[in-house]
Amino acid sequence: KHFSKNHFISRSINSSPFFFFSGNGPSGICLSYLLSGYTPYFKRHSLHPHPILQRKLEEAPEVSVLDQDLEYLSEGLEGRSHSPVALLFDTLQRPDTDFGGTAESVLTWWHEPDRAIPHLVLGRNAPGGAWHSIEGSMVTLSRGEWMGLPDLPFKEWLKQKRRGLRNNRATAEDIAQYYQHYVMKKGLQKNFRCGTVVTSVRKVSAESISNHTQKDLQENSDSLWNSNEQSTEVFQVDGFFKTVEGDKEPFSVYAENVVLATGTYDNPTWLGVKGENLSYVHHQLSALEEAAKNNSVGIMSDPVLIVGAGLTAADAILFAHHCNIPVIHVFRRRVGDPGLIFNQLPKMMYPEYHKVHQMMKEQTAACAGPYESYISLPEHHVLSFGKDKKCILQDKNGCQKAYKISMALVLTGSNPSLSFLPNDGTDLAIDSDQPVSPKRNPIDVDPFTYECTQEKGLYALGPLAGDNFVRFVQGGALAVASSLLKKANKNPP
C-alpha cells in the first residue's frame, strides 16, 4: 500500500506512545504476531520429551508462556543456540526435532485482542525482508519445517501448493511467499508499512515535542493505547517511503520503544584491499548469475575468482560448476578446520555442500583432482585487484602469485547496516570499540528481554543479537513481546 502526504495523521506524543520496529523479516513478523494478541499457552494433556520442562509447564498451565518466568522455564535447556529463550521457544514448537523426532508442538494459540499492542513494522521489501532479495531457486540451509512461524507449519502451507520439500529443504522463493501469506492469513498486514527506509533513530526529550504535532504512519488513531507512565525521553524515528511514482515521502514517528530487526543481508563485507572498488569485483552472488545470463563469463572465459568459505561462496561454486564456468576458489582457513561450516554439516542432509567440500580438499593447485575448471587455494588471501583484471594472491608462507580472472566475487559474509543509529550502533555492541557483527560482535542485549543493555527502550532481534537461524529468532520475539507486555501493563494479574 502506498501513502500520500495528506495520509499522515497529526497527534500529540503525550496521548499516543506506541511500539515501532524496523525490519519485516521473520523476526519482525513473529513479533508482530505476538503483539497482535496471539497468545501461547501450554496445550493440556500434551507431553514434552524433556521431563523437567514438562513439569514446569504443568505448574501453571492456565498462565500464558508470555506471562511466565522465561528464565525459569529455559533453565537447563541445551541445543544449537546460545540464547536460552531461543532454545525454549524452539523446543516448545518443535519438541524433539534435533533428534529426528516429529512430536507436535506443545503450544496452543489463543487470540486475545484486548492484549494487543499497537505497533508498526517498517521494511524496504514486502513482508519476508531479505528473502525477497535472494535468488529464488536457492535452497535453504535449514530444514524446511524449521523456517516456519508460529501456528502455521511451513509443511502444511507447502502441501496446499501441492508441493513437497526437496531433501527436506525449501527454496528461497517458497520461503518469501510463505512469509507474505503468513502476514495475510494472521491479519497482520495493517501493522506493516513496506517500501520504507529508516534514516535516523535517536533519543529526544518528550517535553521538547509534547507541544508539537507528530506525523506518523498509523492509520487508525483510535487504536492507540494510553500509558500510565510518561517517559521523559522518547525515540524519534525519521525516514522516507517510496510512492508509486518513485518519489521519496519523508515521515517522523515518536515511540517509547523501538525494536531493531533489520538483519544483515544489505551490507556485504569488503576485504579492504587495493582495487576492490573496480567494476569487475562484486560482493553478491547475483552478479555471477547476471554475468552468466548475458554470456560475459562461460566455459571459454578466464576463471571467476570466488573468495570465501561459507555457504554463499559454496552456492556460487555450485552455480559456476553447473554452467561450466572455470573457478579459482580462495579462502583463509585450512580445509580441515573444525570452524569451517562444511565440517559441521551432516553429509546425508547436505549432499551438494559436501560435494563442494570434496572439491576444496581434492582440487588444490598443488595436486590436480577429478574436478575440471576448479582450483582450490586454501590458506590464501587476496592482496590486490589490478585494472588489467590480474589478482595478486598470497599463501600462508608469504609467496605471491598473479592470476588473470574475468570477474571476482568476494563472498565473505555481511554486516548489518546501522547507519541510522548514532555511531552506526557501535556503542550498543558487546565490544563498543568494534563494529556490530552478528557472529563476532553482536548488540549486547539482556538474554531474557532482548533489551539493549546500553539503551533502555531499544531492543535488538535476530542476527543483530546473534541469532542467525529463523528457528531461533522467534525466541527473541517471545522475549521482546513478554517485556513489552509488562511495560504496557497488558499482563493479566
Side-chain angles (χ1 to χ4, degrees):
K1 184 165 181 176
H2 296 273
F3 306 91
S4 58
K5 271 181 187 170
N6 60 12
H7 176 84
F8 288 111
I9 299 166
S10 297
R11 263 197 316 277
S12 159
I13 187 64
N14 282 329
S15 62
S16 57
F18 65 100
F19 299 110
F20 146 88
F21 40 108
S22 177
N24 63 0
S27 301
I29 295 170
C30 186
L31 182 54
S32 179
Y33 179 70
L34 292 164
L35 293 182
S36 297
Y38 290 96
T39 310
Y41 289 87
F42 175 56
K43 196 189 296 177
R44 299 290 179 105
H45 311 302
S46 58
L47 194 62
H48 197 284
H50 193 295
I52 297 173
L53 179 58
Q54 173 74 16
R55 198 174 69 241
K56 290 177 181 177
L57 292 167
E58 287 173 345
E59 287 172 7
E62 73 288 346
V63 179
S64 163
V65 174
L66 278 169
D67 304 321
Q68 295 197 38
D69 183 340
L70 299 181
E71 185 171 0
Y72 171 66
L73 287 180
S74 59
E75 192 178 18
L77 295 178
E78 294 179 350
R80 300 183 185 182
S81 171
H82 298 299
S83 161
V85 185
L87 290 174
L88 171 66
F89 201 39
D90 184 64
T91 194
L92 292 173
Q93 294 193 95
R94 289 171 281 268
D96 56 356
T97 188
D98 280 333
F99 303 100
T102 54
E104 283 189 11
S105 168
V106 298
L107 295 178
T108 183
W109 293 86
W110 290 85
H111 191 208
E112 301 173 342
D114 58 318
R115 301 194 69 194
I117 294 176
H119 60 277
L120 292 176
V121 189
L122 307 188
R124 291 172 186 261
N125 300 312
W131 286 97
H132 293 280
S133 307
I134 299 169
E135 171 62 30
S137 60
M138 287 293 168
V139 180
T140 60
L141 170 63
S142 296
R143 295 170 70 97
E145 62 263 35
W146 293 351
M147 307 303 292
L149 296 174
D151 203 31
L152 183 62
F154 178 73
K155 261 188 176 176
E156 278 184 24
W157 174 81
L158 208 56
K159 269 184 198 165
Q160 290 168 8
K161 295 187 75 179
R162 301 179 189 278
R163 295 249 295 287
L165 292 170
R166 190 178 110 199
N167 197 30
N168 281 322
R169 288 150 71 205
T171 66
E173 183 181 14
D174 283 335
I175 296 298
Q177 287 179 10
Y178 163 77
Y179 290 144
Q180 277 191 281
H181 174 79
Y182 186 92
V183 168
M184 296 298 290
K185 175 89 174 170
K186 299 298 183 183
L188 309 179
Q189 63 271 25
K190 63 183 179 295
N191 303 315
F192 282 71
R193 301 292 178 268
C194 304
T196 56
V197 177
V198 174
T199 55
S200 170
V201 175
R202 60 195 176 95
K203 271 269 180 82
V204 294
S205 161
E207 279 183 21
S208 68
I209 56 169
S210 61
N211 296 323
H212 297 84
T213 57
Q214 76 155 308
K215 292 177 175 182
D216 66 43
L217 297 164
Q218 278 292 94
E219 290 188 70
N220 182 2
S221 59
D222 296 330
S223 68
L224 291 171
W225 53 278
N226 291 316
S227 172
N228 294 328
E229 293 179 31
Q230 279 308 312
S231 174
T232 55
E233 285 190 309
V234 293
F235 292 98
Q236 178 174 328
V237 181
D238 298 315
F240 61 85
F241 63 87
K242 295 169 188 171
T243 64
V244 181
E245 297 79 23
D247 296 329
K248 293 179 179 179
E249 295 285 5
F251 68 81
S252 288
V253 295
Y254 297 96
E256 290 186 15
N257 299 274
V258 170
V259 181
L260 306 173
T262 53
T264 64
Y265 190 76
D266 293 334
N267 195 18
T269 306
W270 283 46
L271 300 171
V273 300
K274 184 183 175 185
E276 194 172 2
N277 58 346
L278 291 167
S279 61
Y280 70 90
V281 182
H282 305 271
H283 297 80
Q284 287 183 320
L285 175 55
S286 54
L288 179 59
E289 292 157 357
E290 195 61 37
K293 242 184 234 174
N294 60 35
N295 296 317
S296 56
V297 294
I299 192 167
M300 301 304 291
S301 63
D302 287 324
V304 170
L305 180 77
I306 296 175
V307 185
L311 298 175
T312 308
D315 285 333
I317 291 161
L318 289 166
F319 180 85
H321 190 63
H322 177 72
C323 298
N324 295 313
I325 299 167
V327 167
I328 297 170
H329 183 200
V330 179
F331 49 100
R332 287 177 174 267
R333 293 178 185 262
R334 293 179 296 110
V335 180
D337 188 325
L340 205 66
I341 185 68
F342 305 103
N343 291 314
Q344 302 166 24
L345 298 176
K347 292 177 187 176
M348 292 295 288
M349 194 168 162
Y350 303 100
E352 75 277 40
Y353 290 139
H354 177 59
K355 179 181 180 179
V356 172
H357 196 207
Q358 286 296 111
M359 291 166 70
M360 290 163 68
K361 282 180 189 171
E362 297 174 15
Q363 193 82 15
T364 60
C367 56
Y371 304 101
E372 287 182 27
S373 306
Y374 171 88
I375 296 174
S376 163
L377 295 174
E379 298 183 274
H380 280 65
H381 64 274
V382 177
L383 282 184
S384 65
F385 296 103
K387 289 179 182 174
D388 54 359
K389 291 196 176 179
K390 277 189 180 168
C391 172
I392 310 295
L393 305 177
Q394 182 171 297
D395 69 14
K396 61 177 179 178
N397 301 316
C399 297
Q400 296 179 14
K401 191 170 181 184
Y403 288 86
K404 184 83 166 67
I405 60 175
S406 58
M407 68 185 293
L409 288 174
V410 178
L411 302 172
T412 53
S414 56
N415 287 312
S417 179
L418 297 174
S419 56
F420 55 84
L421 291 175
N423 201 20
D424 292 335
T426 302
D427 302 331
L428 304 173
I430 289 174
D431 180 354
S432 57
D433 294 327
Q434 297 295 322
V436 174
S437 161
K439 289 179 181 169
R440 291 179 294 278
N441 194 33
I443 290 176
D444 192 8
V445 296
D446 180 291
F448 300 103
T449 65
Y450 278 62
E451 190 168 18
C452 299
T453 54
Q454 301 300 326
E455 187 68 83
K456 296 305 169 196
L458 191 64
Y459 295 79
L461 272 181
L464 295 180
D467 293 335
N468 292 295
F469 290 98
V470 170
R471 63 184 283 204
F472 294 127
V473 303
Q474 298 172 54
L478 179 78
V480 173
S482 176
S483 173
L484 294 182
L485 283 162
K486 288 183 178 75
K487 286 185 178 184
N489 298 320
K490 293 274 185 175
N491 290 72

